[in-house]
């Protein structure tokens, strides 16, 4: 069973690539989060969790979702994080989460895919995004092959810098940067409501036909990335930048 959380589609693509090799069932974490429901999931095959890298770790909202739900059957757990560069020492925290949930940690792998975090970083153009995805697919397929054979992911040594980024820098990053006060909407907004529909935390409400952010944001970029008229901006960081969005709704 493959569980995925995805804001603009990178992790969804990775999850689908794994499923194409293993034949396992796909479960959207986004939809369960949006519904506000918990569940008991049962799988006779390994559990695979696919998500973006947020502040050099698995997103907090995904960690909490795993804590809040029950998983029965096969307790082997694999983690794949998509990223724009690296995931620091994320494996150590996934391993701790597995110990907490009585799962068997089978490793964490990261795969570089198109940068989508236009609230802070420069994003590549459409052609470069396509190239990055094409390069990533064989790498993901190889990891899926290891899952299918019951092999653990290769373990990578974490540097002191990695440990600092995933450790003390992570909460500082959330506190200083992960907030929705920087989102604005222009007159290009057509009141389609897609931003509210796509927000996994139900943090966006249409008031007078325009989106209003309510303060509970995880910076998944689903709203700004998927806006069909590019009416949403984040401060002055996103202006003129390519919106990477390949999410299949």
């Amino acid at each position: 069973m493959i569980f995925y959380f995805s804001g603009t589609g990178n992790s969804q693509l990775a999850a689908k690539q794994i499923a194409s090799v293993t034949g396992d069932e796909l479960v959207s974490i986004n939809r369960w989060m949006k519904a506000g429901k918990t569940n008991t999931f049962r799988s006779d095959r390994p559990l695979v969790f696919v998500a973006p890298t947020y502040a050099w770790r698995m997103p907090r909202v995904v960690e909490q979702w795993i804590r809040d739900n029950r998983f029965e059957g096969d307790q082997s757990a694999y983690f794949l994080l998509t990223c724009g560069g690296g995931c620091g020492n994320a494996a150590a925290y996934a391993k701790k989460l597995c110990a907490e949930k009585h799962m068997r940690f089978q490793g964490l792998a990261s795969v570089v895919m198109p940068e989508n975090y236009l609230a802070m970083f420069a994003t590549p153009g459409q052609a470069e995004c396509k190239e990055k995805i094409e390069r990533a697919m064989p790498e993901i397929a190889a990891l899926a092959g290891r899952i299918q054979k019951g092999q653990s992911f290769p373990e990578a040594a974490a540097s002191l810098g990695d440990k600092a980024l995933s450790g003390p820098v992570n909460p500082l990053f959330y506190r200083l940067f992960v907030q929705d006060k920087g989102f604005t909407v222009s007159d290009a907004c057509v009141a389609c409501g897609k931003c509210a529909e796509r927000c996994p935390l139900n943090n966006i409400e249409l008031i007078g036909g325009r989106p209003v952010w309510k303060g509970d944001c995880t910076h998944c970029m689903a709203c700004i990335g998927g806006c069909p008229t590019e009416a949403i901006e984040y401060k002055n960081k996103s202006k003129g930048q390519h919106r990477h969005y390949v999410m299949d709704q």
Side-chain angles (χ1 to χ4, degrees), residues 7-8 10 52-54 84 113-126 129 173 177 179 182-184 213 217-227 229-246:
T8 66
N10 285 336
T53 303
Y54 287 2
M113 294 189 78
E115 178 65 66
N116 72 340
Y117 194 29
L118 41 65
M120 182 165 288
F121 303 121
T123 56
Q126 188 171 355
C129 287
F173 188 94
F177 301 112
Q179 49 190 273
F183 286 108
T184 58
W213 288 259
C217 182
T218 190
H219 269 200
C220 72
M221 301 291 115
C223 60
I224 187 170
C227 177
T229 61
E230 296 190 6
I232 300 171
E233 300 286 359
Y234 189 82
K235 298 181 179 179
N236 64 349
K237 302 289 187 180
S238 61
K239 291 181 180 178
Q241 291 216 61
H242 172 66
R243 268 74 161 157
H244 174 63
Y245 191 84
V246 291

Side-chain angles (χ1 to χ4, degrees), residues 59-75:
R60 284 184 178 180
V61 291
V62 176
E63 288 185 354
Q64 191 58 51
W65 186 85
I66 294 172
R67 287 190 179 97
D68 291 342
N69 288 272
R70 291 176 56 85
F71 303 89
E72 296 181 348
D74 194 325
Q75 293 297 298

Side-chain angles (χ1 to χ4, degrees), residues 22-132:
T22 65
D24 291 332
E25 179 184 353
L26 285 165
V27 177
S28 169
I29 294 176
N30 297 55
R31 291 174 184 168
W32 282 96
M33 280 186 185
K34 193 163 185 66
K37 296 178 181 179
T38 57
N39 192 34
T40 298
F41 297 94
R42 180 172 181 82
S43 176
D44 294 326
R45 294 268 301 139
L47 306 170
V48 184
F49 298 97
V50 185
T53 303
Y54 287 2
W56 303 279
R57 277 169 58 176
M58 191 173 8
R60 284 184 178 180
V61 291
V62 176
E63 288 185 354
Q64 191 58 51
W65 186 85
I66 294 172
R67 287 190 179 97
D68 291 342
N69 288 272
R70 291 176 56 85
F71 303 89
E72 296 181 348
D74 194 325
Q75 293 297 298
S76 300
Y78 293 85
F79 297 83
L80 188 148
L81 298 187
T82 57
C83 62
C87 66
N89 193 31
Y93 295 88
K95 190 173 184 178
K96 288 179 183 177
L97 179 60
C98 281
E100 181 183 331
K101 294 291 292 183
H102 305 290
M103 295 174 177
R104 289 186 298 277
F105 179 66
Q106 293 289 80
L108 180 146
S110 64
V111 176
V112 174
M113 294 189 78
E115 178 65 66
N116 72 340
Y117 194 29
L118 41 65
M120 182 165 288
F121 303 121
T123 56
Q126 188 171 355
E128 187 178 347
C129 287
K130 184 179 178 181
E131 290 175 5
K132 283 179 178 285

